[in-house]
Amino acid sequence: MKLMYISNACPPEILTEYEKKYSKKKIRFVQQLWDFHLSEAFYNLLKSDFCAVSFPPITTYPVGKCLFHGRKTMHSRQNNDYVLLPTVNIAVLKQFLYCVGLLFELLIWSIKNRGEKKVIITNCIYPQSALPSFLIRCFSKTKVFTILPDLPEHSVPNMLAEKKWLKKLYSVFIWLSKKIQNGYNGYICFTRFQMEHLIQKPNIVIDGMIDTDYIDHIPPHKLDTNKRIIVYAGGILEKYGIQTLAEAFIQLNPDNAELWFYGTGDSVDYLRHLKSDIVFYKGAIPRDELIGIEKAAYLLVNPRPTDEEYSKCSFPSKLMEYMATGTPVLTSRLLCIGEEYDDLMYFFDDISVQGIKNRLESLLNGEYQREIGCKARQEMKLKKNVNYQAERICAFVQGI
């Protein structure tokens, strides 16, 4: 089997280089790193039978400083190749040229591997990766699958809809994505509920994956405090329950404990202006440093509301990272979280101010056991490790 993965994968050192050269502000390369770890796992598994084609990590001009991007082949530290597509970095034109460049790559790959069983996997339902893949499938022995971290209507940040012209583009993108979403030969789902929105075709549910080896190599950070530190890391957004969590903790006013927030979002100003000596906004920091702090923390929290359709159709990668650190996790009972996680995390009974306050109080005053974090970490290493999940994905697509 010959496998091509079309994604945002890019070696970390290249992401750093591009950020310095082309970006006017700090970028969170979460998706690129997730794709990169999976690509490296595919490379380890399939060797020369695998190739990776990526969209370059550049912010659209003029917000980003790169106007023209040529085709480039980058190498990871393991000497694996990543082809970055060429484009003119202007909205709409950029996506069109991605399609053209990708079609060319797929055509060469298809001719080179004629007579072989060929599989294309895309990450997310994106027109710029789906349309060229579907076209190649029409005249070659190729099947096309997609990984579904999110459904199309959930995959683009809401901030893109803040301006009228961006809102229009966003609407067109969603419309086109939904038009093509049933065109794949099969789906690699993050939750069992995603198939409720798609035509029934072969699928596998993986919840997600994480490079536990990478996390294991990061030592716990020295917190320089004897207090029990509770950490929230991720989107600092009101809709994610940030303000409710902060208010509940202030009302609880526990002895010898503090609540630290990391990330960016619409509730940053709210946190900065809180007059509290137990709740602190710590900003956005490098991932390695954040993981070290999460490892040293007393508890990691995720108070995201459970009444959104999104909570059914996407398993938060943040929860995977939380559990992989070995620190106990306290989360809302998101609809995507199955019963198999009951013994791996603590759960809020409800996510009102009072509900959060009561649950935190019980954990700070006796119910807490560090062992639940160790058990969750072991489960991530065994069943959610990126290498294990890459094996499952390869077995699935090869069998269709």
Side-chain angles (χ1 to χ4, degrees):
M1 178 183 72
K2 303 292 183 178
L3 174 62
M4 177 183 283
Y5 184 40
I6 304 166
S7 69
N8 296 295
C10 206
E13 53 272 22
I14 304 304
L15 296 176
T16 302
E17 176 189 333
Y18 271 51
E19 186 177 49
K20 289 178 180 177
K21 286 171 62 176
Y22 301 130
S23 179
K24 296 177 182 178
K25 59 182 181 179
K26 196 79 174 172
I27 300 175
R28 293 179 69 244
F29 291 113
V30 177
Q31 187 63 59
Q32 286 84 356
L33 289 171
W34 191 96
D35 288 332
F36 171 72
H37 292 312
L38 179 57
S39 294
E40 291 289 281
F42 282 143
Y43 266 120
N44 293 337
L45 209 59
L46 301 173
K47 311 300 181 186
S48 61
D49 289 334
F50 175 74
C51 66
V53 176
S54 304
F55 302 109
I58 48 175
T59 306
T60 303
Y61 188 86
V63 177
K65 294 187 286 187
C66 177
L67 182 56
F68 301 100
H69 186 281
R71 182 188 184 277
K72 296 181 180 179
T73 300
M74 302 296 188
H75 308 283
S76 70
R77 289 176 181 171
Q78 288 72 37
N79 207 32
N80 298 321
D81 293 341
Y82 290 81
V83 174
L84 302 187
L85 293 170
T87 195
V88 176
N89 193 26
I90 297 173
V92 182
L93 179 60
K94 172 182 182 176
Q95 281 71 28
F96 172 75
L97 291 176
Y98 279 156
C99 286
V100 174
L102 179 57
L103 183 60
F104 176 79
E105 297 292 338
L106 287 168
L107 187 60
I108 298 300
W109 175 74
S110 183
I111 293 172
K112 180 181 176 181
N113 295 297
R114 58 189 178 276
E116 301 275 1
K117 179 175 182 177
K118 295 181 289 296
V119 170
I120 298 169
I121 297 178
T122 72
N123 188 11
C124 301
I125 299 175
Y126 287 151
Q128 57 265 41
S129 57
L131 295 176
S133 300
F134 292 168
L135 187 58
I136 288 294
R137 183 178 58 186
C138 291
F139 56 86
S140 71
K141 189 180 178 182
T142 305
K143 291 188 176 180
V144 184
F145 299 82
T146 188
I147 297 175
L148 283 174
D150 306 290
L151 293 170
E153 56 266 40
H154 304 143
S155 61
V156 179
N158 290 331
M159 61 184 179
L160 294 183
E162 289 178 357
K163 296 181 181 179
K164 285 187 177 181
W165 69 275
L166 283 176
K167 190 173 183 179
K168 284 284 186 184
L169 288 178
Y170 175 75
S171 300
V172 170
F173 177 89
I174 295 301
W175 174 81
L176 183 55
S177 296
K178 290 181 75 67
K179 283 289 184 182
I180 65 173
Q181 69 181 14
N182 292 314
Y184 295 89
N185 294 98
Y187 303 91
I188 298 130
C189 300
F190 269 39
T191 85
R192 64 188 184 279
F193 296 107
Q194 288 177 327
M195 290 307 299
E196 294 177 358
H197 298 260
L198 302 164
I199 291 176
Q200 290 301 313
K201 288 186 178 181
N203 63 87
I204 182 175
V205 178
I206 63 171
D207 289 343
M209 64 192 76
I210 190 162
D211 188 348
T212 54
D213 294 338
Y214 166 78
I215 290 178
D216 284 348
H217 282 97
I218 299 173
H221 191 80
K222 292 183 180 179
L223 299 182
D224 296 324
T225 178
N226 293 322
K227 294 188 176 182
R228 294 172 292 179
I229 303 302
I230 299 172
V231 169
Y232 170 89
I236 307 295
L237 301 170
E238 183 177 2
K239 69 175 184 177
Y240 287 177
I242 298 304
Q243 296 184 23
T244 306
L245 173 61
E247 185 178 344
F249 196 76
I250 290 171
Q251 286 190 19
L252 179 59
N253 194 25
D255 293 330
N256 199 32
E258 293 177 356
L259 175 60
W260 294 1
F261 288 92
Y262 292 90
T264 60
D266 60 23
S267 290
V268 167
D269 286 342
Y270 167 84
L271 294 176
R272 281 176 172 159
H273 291 96
L274 276 179
K275 294 180 179 179
S276 171
D277 57 359
I278 57 172
V279 175
F280 300 93
Y281 173 64
K282 297 286 187 172
I285 61 175
R287 187 173 182 231
D288 285 12
E289 184 181 350
L290 178 59
I291 290 172
I293 290 170
E294 290 172 346
K295 283 188 169 186
Y298 177 83
L299 185 69
L300 306 175
V301 291
N302 175 48
R304 186 176 295 193
T306 60
D307 56 354
E308 297 176 323
E309 184 67 15
Y310 178 81
S311 72
K312 286 175 59 178
C313 297
S314 179
F315 195 103
S317 59
K318 176 53 61 180
L319 281 182
M320 292 277 178
E321 181 179 296
Y322 273 3
M323 286 188 281
T325 65
T327 299
V329 178
L330 172 61
T331 179
S332 49
R333 173 66 82 170
L334 299 171
L335 296 173
C336 62
I337 299 176
E339 293 179 358
E340 64 270 25
Y341 291 92
D342 284 355
D343 297 330
L344 303 179
M345 294 183 284
Y346 294 113
F347 295 93
F348 292 113
D349 296 323
D350 69 81
I351 49 172
S352 64
V353 170
Q354 190 62 43
I356 291 175
K357 176 183 172 183
N358 291 344
R359 199 69 182 96
L360 285 172
E361 185 174 26
S362 70
L363 291 175
L364 288 168
N365 294 330
E367 186 180 337
Y368 176 91
Q369 291 182 338
R370 189 81 186 183
E371 288 73 17
I372 194 172
C374 298
K375 187 176 180 181
R377 175 178 171 273
Q378 188 64 18
E379 186 74 6
M380 294 301 102
K381 285 178 69 68
L382 289 175
K383 297 184 179 178
K384 303 305 175 185
N385 181 281
V386 65
N387 296 304
Y388 173 79
Q389 295 290 48
E391 290 180 11
R392 290 186 66 207
I393 292 170
C394 285
F396 167 67
V397 300
Q398 194 161 19
I400 303 302

